[in-house]
Amino acid sequence: MNETIALLLNHRSIRKFTDQTLTPEQVEMIVAAAQSASTSSNVQAYSVIAVMKDDLKKELARLSGDQAYVHSCPVFLVWCADLSRLKKAAQTHRPGEETYEGSMENLIVATVDTALAAQNAAVAAESLGLGIVYIGGIRNHIAEASSLLGLPELVYPLFGMCVGYPDQQPDLRPRLPQEAVLHWNRYDASTADTQVERYDEIMSAYLRERTGGAKDTPWSVLMADKLAQPSRMHMGQFLRERGFGRQ
């Protein structure tokens, strides 16, 4: 155990922030940490938009499912997978040639690059005493959000991130038993059911404690219910329209 691992193990999502603002220098430091993340072939296929204007945060909160903390946080970072720079490089140095910036593989690369950078930023923010929460709801109305932020072709908002000084200390949410996710040398499905049953018991107890007995639905039931509902079925068409995944 060391200070870095302790910080990582203490992560929790923060949805309530104080009125204390962040300086541009703090935001720049967090993004500098993000830029030091690993990136496939050095493509650095992401961009981040730091939203601090109150009216813009309010509109993004509405588009993200009326999540009030998107509006109340001092800085809302929108993490975007960005292949537009690669397309420009190809047009400049390979004029007239067929290039594959919009391929499915490059969509995966850009999405992974963005997530790696954002997680670096999350850890950096928490090391400064700040709190964060990821906002996948930015994809609820992704075309409207993209237009609001002025995103060009081959750029899409993967998720948002509220950043600010915490005004709450929620309990740590239990994770799956490590035996469910760590495999040695080959994937081992033999204990999957047992590990899920263990986690169902853990999460039911956690929910009972957190809600004063009002909820205790097992994790596997929650996941089954989630998968039984269509979610953001517009994403495939949107990405193709924006130039992604065409090859």
Side-chain angles (χ1 to χ4, degrees), residues 14-18 20-22 51-54 57 67-77 131 133 135 161-165:
I14 299 299
R15 295 176 173 85
K16 186 178 181 182
F17 303 92
T18 71
Q20 187 174 353
T21 60
L22 272 67
V51 180
M52 302 179 78
K53 286 187 175 181
D54 187 72
K57 285 190 295 175
Q67 298 185 67
Y69 28 93
V70 173
H71 183 206
S72 63
C73 69
V75 178
F76 185 58
L77 300 178
V133 63
I135 304 294
M161 179 189 289
C162 299
V163 185
Y165 287 92

Side-chain angles (χ1 to χ4, degrees), residues 132-155:
I132 68 100
V133 63
Y134 284 95
I135 304 294
I138 194 77
R139 302 191 302 276
N140 287 358
H141 299 281
I142 194 167
E144 292 177 65
S146 297
S147 177
L148 187 67
L149 296 168
L151 303 184
E153 186 183 45
L154 289 172
V155 181

Side-chain angles (χ1 to χ4, degrees), residues 154-229:
L154 289 172
V155 181
Y156 84 95
L158 182 58
F159 43 69
M161 179 189 289
C162 299
V163 185
Y165 287 92
D167 195 23
Q168 62 176 176
Q169 187 73 1
D171 293 335
L172 289 173
R173 186 188 297 268
R175 300 306 201 212
L176 281 160
Q178 192 172 93
E179 294 87 345
V181 299
L182 175 60
H183 303 264
W184 297 98
N185 299 311
R186 289 175 60 84
Y187 192 98
D188 180 9
S190 64
T191 63
D193 290 345
T194 301
Q195 298 305 326
V196 169
E197 288 171 4
R198 283 180 58 198
Y199 191 54
D200 278 346
E201 294 175 1
I202 292 168
M203 280 302 296
S204 291
Y206 167 79
L207 287 174
R208 280 194 297 272
E209 177 70 22
R210 182 174 177 176
T211 64
K215 296 180 180 179
D216 65 352
T217 309
W219 176 82
S220 61
V221 175
L222 292 172
M223 295 303 102
D225 291 346
K226 177 179 175 62
L227 294 177
Q229 300 296 323

